């Protein structure tokens, strides 16, 4: 089972290898209602995380398979897209300046938010998000999927989406029957979230797709990027980014991009210190999970409310590609982050947090006011 990075007591994880962010990062801030980080404290947090990453990187002989408790990583590929995004005329707009949102904990369906990283990343990439959610009184948990973060599984051995998503499925399986969680999936982590919706819909209150592969039944995560990358067959024959972990005479097992490609695709608005952290924390991307077609049914997957967060300066999954996703597989709500790259947990952490808090407070359909649209759209301005 994968590792968990969380801000909750160990007993809450019921067997998951979870560690309190406040202990691991040396934070003295209370998990509820504590003061916000000052710029100096945030800078110290970054420096501590980067120092830990470099130390672990060197200890492992330069291996990129280590994980730290706070940071960022990288992954798959998409050509740069326009930063403009077409408005859905039938959806109301609400504009937020990312100031701290007021939240009434007693009104929430659940305080548990499970953060699922994207391809190449690990639980550590959510360190800013965990800090913000914890500060609001929520109970975030970030998991390492198989072969990610500090899960030492050889990525070349991951043959299915089920293998890759096992830590998430194990977590949901151990969750008490009377408890539910909100799932948040980033990038190709959206496929793992969709897989979980199909297997444990009764334990999931809402699913949030953060510029993620919100695929339809019978679709592969790779298909989301296929217009930019050409067909899967051509990509597998010609791509220079493929990893042949089992030998050149065997099918490719993973993907790996170089530093400059990753910077341009994932981190075009990300602070340099987070990019440095990502550079020493990255893992190869297992290929099989993103090439697998998902089976999703209305009776299971279709019963859980879904929300999509678009990032409008995304060079990995362009705004047009994101629009196509929500058009072809409409969610219950759409939110947008202005100026956010593919990793808003680094580039726009406060805006992302405000949206997550807003989604957490959305009540079940029966509690919605008469006449209220089932879809909402928020444009988050610069923090």
């Amino acid at each position: 089972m994968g590792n968990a990075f969380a801000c909750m007591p160990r007993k809450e994880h019921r067997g998951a290898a979870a560690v309190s962010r406040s202990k691991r990062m040396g934070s003295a801030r209370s998990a509820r209602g504590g003061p916000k980080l000052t710029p100096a404290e945030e800078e110290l947090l970054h420096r501590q995380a980067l120092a830990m990453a470099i130390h672990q990187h060197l200890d492992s002989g330069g291996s990129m398979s280590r994980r730290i408790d706070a940071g960022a990583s990288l992954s798959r590929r998409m050509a740069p897209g326009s930063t403009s995004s077409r408005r859905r005329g039938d959806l109301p707009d609400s504009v937020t300046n990312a100031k701290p949102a007021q939240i009434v904990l007693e009104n929430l369906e659940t305080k548990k938010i499970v953060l699922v990283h994207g391809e190449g990343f690990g639980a550590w990439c959510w360190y800013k998000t965990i800090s913000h959610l914890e500060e609001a009184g929520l109970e975030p948990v970030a998991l390492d999927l198989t072969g990610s973060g500090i899960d030492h599984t050889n990525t070349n051995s991951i043959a299915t989406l089920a293998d890759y998503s096992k830590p998430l499925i194990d977590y949901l399986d151990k969750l008490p029957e009377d408890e539910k969680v909100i799932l948040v999936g980033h990038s190709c982590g959206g496929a793992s979230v969709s897989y979980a919706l199909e297997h444990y819909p009764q334990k999931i209150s809402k699913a949030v797709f953060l510029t993620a592969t919100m695929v339809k039944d019978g679709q592969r995560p790779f298909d989301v990027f296929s217009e930019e990358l050409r067909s899967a067959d051509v990509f597998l024959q010609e791509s220079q980014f493929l990893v042949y972990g089992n030998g050149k005479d065997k099918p490719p097992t993973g993907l790996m991009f170089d530093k400059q490609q990753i910077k341009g695709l994932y981190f075009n608005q990300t602070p340099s210190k987070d990019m440095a952290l990502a550079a020493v924390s990255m893992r190869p991307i297992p290929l099989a999970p993103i090439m697998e077609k998902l089976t999703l049914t209305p009776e299971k997957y279709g019963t859980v409310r879904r929300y999509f967060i678009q990032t409008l300066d995304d060079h990995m999954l362009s705004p047009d590609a994101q629009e196509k996703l929500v058009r072809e597989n409409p969610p219950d709500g759409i939110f947008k982050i202005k100026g956010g790259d593919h990793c808003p947990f680094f580039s726009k952490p406060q805006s992302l947090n405000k949206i997550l808090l807003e989604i957490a407070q959305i009540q079940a359909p029966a509690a919605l006011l008469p006449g209220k649209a089932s879809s909402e759209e928020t444009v988050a301005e610069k923090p």
Side-chain angles (χ1 to χ4, degrees):
M1 184 161 132
N3 300 280
F5 174 34
C7 296
M8 299 161 46
R10 289 178 181 270
K11 64 181 181 181
E12 293 282 337
H13 301 302
R14 304 186 183 275
V19 183
S20 165
R21 182 199 57 81
S22 58
K23 291 182 180 179
R24 298 285 291 266
M25 295 308 301
S27 172
R29 189 174 69 257
S30 168
R32 293 174 186 268
K36 295 184 98 174
L37 287 174
T38 65
E41 288 172 332
E42 185 173 73
E43 179 68 20
L44 178 60
L45 184 65
H46 277 297
R47 291 180 181 277
Q48 289 174 331
L50 183 56
M52 292 169 66
I54 294 172
H55 178 70
Q56 291 192 17
H57 176 58
L58 294 176
D59 282 351
S60 61
S63 169
M64 301 300 271
S65 65
R66 303 290 292 174
R67 175 248 192 199
I68 61 174
D69 302 311
S73 179
L74 16 107
S75 259
R76 293 207 57 243
R77 139 100 186 134
M78 180 102 174
S82 169
T83 58
S84 64
S85 181
R86 204 163 19 86
R87 285 267 179 246
R88 292 169 56 115
D90 56 337
L91 295 179
D93 280 340
S94 61
V95 180
T96 174
N97 60 4
K99 292 180 180 178
Q102 297 297 321
I103 183 168
V104 181
L105 299 177
E106 291 73 16
N107 294 342
L108 300 182
E109 295 175 3
T110 179
K111 292 189 289 184
K112 296 181 182 293
I113 299 183
V114 179
L115 304 167
V116 182
H117 62 80
E119 69 287 354
F121 291 78
W124 45 266
C125 73
W126 299 104
Y127 79 102
K128 292 181 181 180
T129 302
I130 286 177
S131 176
H132 287 304
L133 292 176
E134 160 188 73
E135 184 177 287
L138 301 182
E139 299 173 354
V141 177
L143 302 175
D144 282 324
L145 298 180
T146 306
S148 305
I150 60 170
D151 183 286
H152 296 298
T153 303
N154 186 340
T155 55
N156 297 315
S157 69
I158 300 173
T160 65
L161 180 60
D163 292 342
Y164 184 59
S165 305
K166 188 175 185 300
L168 174 59
I169 297 303
D170 287 348
Y171 177 88
L172 293 173
D173 183 65
K174 291 178 171 61
L175 197 69
E177 291 299 325
D178 61 344
E179 291 188 18
K180 288 190 174 186
V181 300
I182 297 173
L183 295 186
V184 180
H186 171 244
S187 199
C188 285
S192 294
V193 168
S194 295
Y195 183 81
L197 293 182
E198 183 65 23
H199 287 78
Y200 284 97
Q202 74 280 9
K203 292 188 176 183
I204 303 168
S205 170
K206 307 179 185 82
V208 182
F209 293 81
L210 176 59
T211 182
T213 50
M214 188 175 66
V215 298
K216 302 178 296 183
D217 177 47
Q219 193 176 23
R220 300 174 294 190
F222 180 88
D223 294 339
V224 174
F225 305 95
S226 61
E227 290 186 8
E228 299 290 342
L229 297 177
R230 296 170 295 175
S231 71
D233 291 339
V234 173
F235 180 78
L236 292 176
Q237 291 175 5
E238 299 181 4
S239 177
Q240 60 182 324
F241 311 116
L242 295 172
V243 175
Y244 293 84
N246 298 325
K248 277 284 190 179
D249 57 333
K250 299 291 195 316
T253 56
L255 291 168
M256 178 69 80
F257 301 109
D258 65 37
K259 194 177 197 178
Q260 288 305 311
Q261 290 163 337
I262 289 168
K263 179 179 178 181
L265 293 169
Y266 287 85
F267 305 133
N268 50 294
Q269 296 293 340
T270 290
S272 59
K273 49 198 169 188
D274 287 322
M275 286 191 286
L277 189 54
V280 295
S281 306
M282 62 184 291
R283 297 287 300 273
I285 305 160
L287 189 61
I290 63 176
M291 290 296 182
E292 182 177 322
K293 292 182 179 180
L294 275 74
T295 299
L296 305 171
T297 63
E299 296 78 16
K300 294 181 178 180
Y301 170 86
T303 62
V304 182
R305 287 166 289 160
R306 292 177 290 111
Y307 300 88
F308 196 95
I309 302 176
Q310 297 180 342
T311 47
L312 303 187
D313 198 12
D314 194 326
H315 289 184
M316 181 65 180
L317 188 60
S318 71
D320 286 342
Q322 295 177 55
E323 287 283 0
K324 182 179 179 182
L325 279 174
V326 299
R327 184 171 60 249
E328 295 183 348
N329 189 14
D332 293 272
I334 301 169
F335 298 79
K336 298 185 179 183
I337 299 179
K338 282 185 177 179
D341 59 18
H342 194 61
C343 298
F345 38 75
F346 293 142
S347 60
K348 295 290 179 183
Q350 292 180 356
S351 296
L352 173 59
N353 177 65
K354 186 173 179 66
I355 291 174
L356 292 179
L357 292 183
E358 191 169 336
I359 292 174
Q361 295 177 86
I362 296 175
Q363 298 298 309
L368 292 177
L369 295 174
K372 182 176 180 180
S374 60
S375 294
E376 300 181 11
E377 181 173 336
T378 295
V379 179
E381 303 289 354
K382 287 185 178 182

